[in-house]
């Protein structure tokens, strides 16, 4: 009998767990290393796109959450935009999602070392750490959970502020994810005080202030650098990045976790079928490139009040332009 290929997966987020699960089901000997204990929260919009939900369905993974049918965009000044999503997104906490995926990997025969750092000899290494050795953007993501948010719970709500943007999304049991991308200088100006930052953001967007007027925080604030970079031209031999370790785009489109899971599925297929790194990079570029450009452009518009007002004035619900714009961001029917 052929000796099973030995693979180490570094990082037990959605990308790492999906890669480990697919590899184990394909007959590989897989060890999954995660440096932190579960459950743990991370900076994340906590929305699974249609792309990610397709991966979960193919793998038979029962992940449930809030069905998000619309995207409501509220600039700092100007008319609100209300867009129907071609396919619903799923609001779910990272604690719930990561634990479900890790348990599925264990059931498939994956050896989990947690908390632990990688060790031992392996034929292949899958990097799912959520980061790559690239130039930092100078922006940070901040996140916390809140209850009592005064918004419709069938939508992702995006808010533009001065030079930044963020969103609120329901993630179950009356809890909402509050996450914003802000500059390092802005965090420094408030001396890292996330509550002070929240008050600033609410002062800049009246709709955000109205939504949060009765909100109560649940849990701690989290912050981490906000990555943005394209697929690398080369990787070390027998090393396969997935998720944000492979490429990272603006989070405004809510595609991050979906891309992470799909890239993990593709990387596992590459290893199991002895495909070339060049082939995987080409498949990655098909996933990321168009979304990167569209999401970056949308973010720049939302965080600049003048551009946001123009966009809102030109936006008409159910206009024929909505479908191609959403498709550019990965929101296909």
């Amino acid at each position: 009998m052929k000796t099973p290929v030995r693979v180490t997966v570094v990082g037990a987020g959605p990308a790492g767990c999906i890669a480990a699960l697919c590899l184990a089901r394909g007959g590989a000997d897989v060890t999954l290393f995660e440096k932190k204990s579960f459950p743990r929260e991370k900076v994340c919009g906590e929305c699974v796109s249609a792309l990610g939900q397709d991966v979960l369905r193919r793998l038979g993974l029962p992940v449930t959450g809030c069905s998000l049918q619309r995207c409501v965009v509220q600039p700092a000044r100007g008319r609100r935009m209300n867009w129907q999503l071609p396919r619903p997104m799923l609001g779910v906490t990272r604690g719930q999602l990561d634990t479900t995926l890790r348990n599925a990997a264990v059931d498939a025969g994956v050896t989990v070392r947690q908390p632990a750092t990688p060790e031992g000899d392996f034929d292949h290494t899958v990097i799912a750490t959520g980061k790559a050795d690239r130039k930092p953007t100078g922006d940070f993501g901040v996140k916390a959970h809140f209850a009592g948010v005064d918004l419709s719970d069938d939508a992702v709500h995006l808010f533009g502020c001065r030079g930044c943007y963020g969103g609120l999304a329901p993630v179950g049991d009356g809890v909402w994810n509050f996450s914003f991308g802000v500059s390092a200088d802005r965090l420094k100006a408030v001396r890292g005080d996330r509550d002070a930052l929240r008050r600033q953001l609410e002062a800049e967007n009246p709709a955000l202030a109205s939504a949060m007027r009765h909100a109560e925080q649940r849990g701690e604030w989290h912050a981490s650098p906000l990555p943005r970079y394209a697929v690398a031209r080369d990787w070390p031999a027998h090393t396969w990045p997935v998720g944000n370790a492979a490429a990272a785009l603006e989070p405004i489109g809510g595609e991050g976790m979906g891309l992470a899971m799909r890239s993990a599925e593709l990387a596992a297929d590459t290893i199991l079928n002895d495909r070339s790194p060049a082939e995987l990079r080409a498949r990655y570029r098909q996933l990321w490139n168009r979304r990167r450009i569209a999401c970056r452009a949308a973010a720049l518009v939302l965080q600049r009040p003048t551009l946001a007002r123009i966009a809102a004035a030109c936006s008409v619900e159910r206009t024929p332009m909505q479908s191609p714009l959403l498709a550019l961001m990965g929101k296909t029917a």
Side-chain angles (χ1 to χ4, degrees):
M1 295 180 62
K2 184 179 179 180
T3 302
V5 62
R6 297 172 302 161
V7 185
T8 179
V9 179
V10 186
C17 287
I18 292 293
L21 173 62
C22 292
L23 286 162
R25 288 184 178 179
D29 179 3
V30 186
T31 303
L32 174 63
F33 291 93
E34 167 58 45
K35 67 179 181 179
K36 295 184 178 180
S37 298
F38 274 31
R40 49 95 166 103
E41 295 293 341
K42 297 187 70 174
V43 175
C44 178
E46 298 187 315
C47 293
V48 181
S49 65
L51 178 68
Q53 291 177 66
D54 287 342
V55 174
L56 296 174
R57 277 191 287 269
R58 280 194 293 272
L59 297 176
L61 300 178
V63 176
T64 59
C66 299
S67 180
L68 308 176
Q69 309 286 331
R70 300 177 294 128
C71 179
V72 180
V73 182
Q74 179 63 65
R77 296 187 297 275
R79 189 169 62 85
R80 185 180 69 172
M81 293 171 273
N82 186 356
W83 287 19
Q84 190 75 24
L85 295 173
R87 295 177 60 188
M89 298 179 70
L90 186 69
V92 58
T93 68
R94 281 295 299 269
Q96 177 187 344
L97 179 64
D98 290 3
T99 300
T100 298
L101 298 184
R102 183 204 55 181
N103 291 345
V106 171
D107 291 342
V110 174
T111 300
V112 176
R113 304 295 186 202
Q114 182 184 27
T117 54
E119 60 180 4
D121 296 323
F122 298 88
D123 301 313
H124 297 272
T125 300
V126 175
I127 304 298
T129 56
K131 55 187 177 182
D133 185 18
R134 308 287 187 89
K135 183 179 178 180
T137 64
D139 293 336
F140 278 77
V142 295
K143 165 202 159 178
H145 285 158
F146 288 86
V149 173
D150 189 13
L151 289 171
S152 56
D153 62 2
D154 66 338
V156 178
H157 299 262
L158 299 178
F159 300 89
C161 295
R162 177 175 53 81
C164 66
Y165 73 92
L168 282 160
V171 291
D173 297 326
V175 174
W176 289 70
N177 174 298
F178 177 105
S179 55
F180 267 76
V182 299
S183 68
D185 288 340
R186 188 156 190 168
L187 268 183
K188 184 178 179 180
V190 296
R191 302 179 183 274
D193 185 340
R194 276 69 153 184
D195 293 316
L197 175 65
R198 174 194 158 189
R199 291 192 293 270
Q200 283 187 1
L201 297 172
E202 291 176 3
E204 294 170 14
N205 191 311
L208 176 62
S210 176
M212 297 293 290
R213 64 184 183 274
H214 301 305
E216 297 180 0
Q217 187 170 341
R218 300 289 174 85
E220 300 178 352
W221 283 101
H222 302 271
S224 68
L226 188 63
R228 282 191 297 268
Y229 38 78
V231 177
R233 295 186 178 184
D234 197 13
W235 304 320
H238 307 295
T239 301
W240 312 91
V242 295
N244 276 0
L249 76 164
E250 195 79 39
I252 194 169
E255 289 289 310
M257 284 201 288
L259 288 167
M261 290 189 276
R262 178 57 180 152
S263 67
E265 200 177 32
L266 292 174
D269 173 73
T270 299
I271 294 170
L272 292 171
N273 293 288
D274 199 23
R275 304 184 193 277
S276 71
E279 183 176 351
L280 181 59
R281 281 193 292 272
R283 299 172 84 177
Y284 277 3
R285 285 191 288 270
Q286 289 178 348
L287 277 179
W288 264 286
N289 283 2
R290 183 182 64 187
R291 289 176 170 89
R292 285 185 65 250
I293 296 170
C295 290
R296 184 59 178 155
L300 291 173
V301 168
L302 184 56
Q303 64 192 23
R304 286 165 170 75
T306 300
L307 293 178
R309 285 201 306 273
I310 294 171
C314 296
S315 175
V316 179
E317 293 184 21
R318 296 182 176 83
T319 178
M321 285 298 295
Q322 282 198 12
S323 293
L325 288 173
L326 289 170
L328 284 172
M329 298 176 73
K331 310 300 181 187
T332 54

